[in-house]
Amino acid sequence: MAWDLSVDLIKATVQIEQPLSDGTRTVGTGFLISDPTPDGKPRTILVTAAHVFDKMPAMSAKIGYRIEGGDGVWRFDPETLKIRDGDHPLWVKHPTRDVAVMVVEAPPEFVKAAIPMKYLAQDDTFNQYALGPGDEMMALGFPRGLSANPAGFPILRSGRVASYPLAPATNFPTFLMDFSVFPGNSGGPVFMAEGARRRPGASESQEVQFVAGLLTQQVELSGERLEIGIVTHAKFIRETLALLDKVPGSPVTQARLSKPEPSIPGAVAAVAISANAMGASH
């Protein structure tokens, strides 16, 4: 059966949230990657924007898993995710970019749903498919904590690449997308999933499916939102994943704590918003 990156990324994308003492909650988006250890052991990794975790002061957060019942009906089934051990973060952060990864112990359905690392774009991916301004990409997330339905699935949106050039990522680590970004979108995957694309001058079309990067910021100027999102290249996700194998000791795994209180992901709750000079969302 043909691989459909759109549907598979929807299944692999989860809401990350933490209640705050003032009655609001901070919300972000993450997605799961399958990246075996150097010795070949299976490993499921949560990818998100580093500021999503940075803005969560407590030891644990909720990760919005979903379970499919025997009747084919999905239900929201969040679990508690330990993100700190005292003052020590349990995630690994890229040294210069807004990217964080964390090894998690996910339910079997999500271990299976995790996207193979090979679908993360590499340095030559954009040039390989002759991508540029005006090309359409899609993004998944939970804007202001809103889900597509009570089962907790992410909302799929699309926008066009709004900057040039796109490569090499070393020189241009981010690119712009023409679409609105809200608190809760940060950390969500940005991707292309076209069944057929013909490169200019080529006689044959080819399938184009890859994760281009993750959404890390919204652009604001003098307090005005410009409806432009900033995407960090997947190259830096790959680099952050590589850092996991340099962490001393055993890989960090999710600690299963007490079951979190039920919540309704489809309802828009008060979401804590923080912004830097470029309007980072979380």
Side-chain angles (χ1 to χ4, degrees):
M1 184 170 64
W3 179 274
D4 186 340
L5 187 58
S6 298
V7 173
D8 287 281
L9 263 175
I10 286 174
K11 293 179 179 178
T13 299
V14 292
Q15 180 176 288
I16 309 168
E17 67 172 304
Q18 186 181 93
L20 302 177
S21 58
D22 61 0
T24 64
R25 59 182 178 133
T26 184
V27 180
T29 301
F31 60 103
L32 300 177
I33 292 286
S34 175
D35 178 27
T37 62
D39 59 1
K41 294 180 181 178
R43 181 170 60 178
T44 304
I45 299 170
L46 174 67
V47 178
T48 189
H51 75 262
V52 170
F53 284 146
D54 288 340
K55 298 299 181 181
M56 293 182 171
M59 299 290 184
S60 300
K62 292 181 181 179
I63 182 168
Y65 292 132
R66 303 169 293 268
I67 302 297
E68 184 178 14
D71 53 1
V73 176
W74 291 86
R75 62 182 174 85
F76 190 54
D77 190 35
E79 292 188 2
T80 299
L81 176 71
K82 186 176 181 181
I83 61 174
R84 287 184 178 85
D85 185 5
D87 294 332
H88 176 64
L90 298 183
W91 67 88
V92 173
K93 181 178 179 179
H94 192 278
T96 61
R97 311 311 308 178
D98 190 7
V99 180
V101 300
M102 179 179 174
V103 180
V104 296
E105 183 182 321
E109 294 89 344
F110 278 84
V111 171
K112 183 178 179 180
I115 301 298
M117 194 187 75
K118 67 179 182 179
Y119 281 93
L120 293 175
Q122 302 193 63
D123 277 347
D124 62 345
T125 301
F126 285 83
N127 290 334
Q128 177 185 351
Y129 296 115
L131 300 175
D135 280 315
E136 186 176 50
M137 292 190 183
M138 291 176 280
L140 289 164
F142 300 90
R144 296 198 180 276
L146 182 67
S147 300
N149 46 48
F153 283 97
I155 294 174
L156 176 67
R157 304 173 67 198
S158 65
R160 294 191 179 275
V161 176
S163 60
Y164 176 86
L166 302 182
T170 301
N171 299 95
F172 303 97
T174 63
F175 63 92
L176 303 182
M177 284 218 6
D178 181 20
F179 86 125
S180 296
V181 180
F182 297 92
N185 280 127
S186 281
V190 174
F191 63 101
M192 286 196 76
E194 292 187 3
R197 179 183 176 87
R198 179 172 295 177
R199 181 172 180 161
S203 59
E204 297 181 354
S205 61
Q206 56 187 151
E207 186 179 81
V208 179
Q209 299 197 94
F210 64 88
V211 177
L214 77 162
L215 194 64
T216 49
Q217 291 178 311
Q218 64 179 351
V219 177
E220 290 186 1
L221 183 63
S222 300
E224 180 182 4
R225 294 176 61 248
L226 301 185
E227 298 190 355
I228 297 174
I230 300 179
V231 182
T232 296
H233 272 286
K235 165 187 173 69
F236 301 103
I237 301 176
R238 286 179 170 271
E239 289 182 359
T240 313
L241 291 171
L243 293 176
L244 281 173
D245 300 321
K246 298 179 181 180
V247 175
S250 301
V252 175
T253 56
Q254 175 180 344
R256 293 181 179 275
L257 306 178
S258 58
K259 197 72 172 179
E261 295 179 3
S263 59
I264 303 175
V268 180
V271 181
I273 302 173
S274 75
N276 59 19
M278 293 297 291
S281 67
H282 67 281

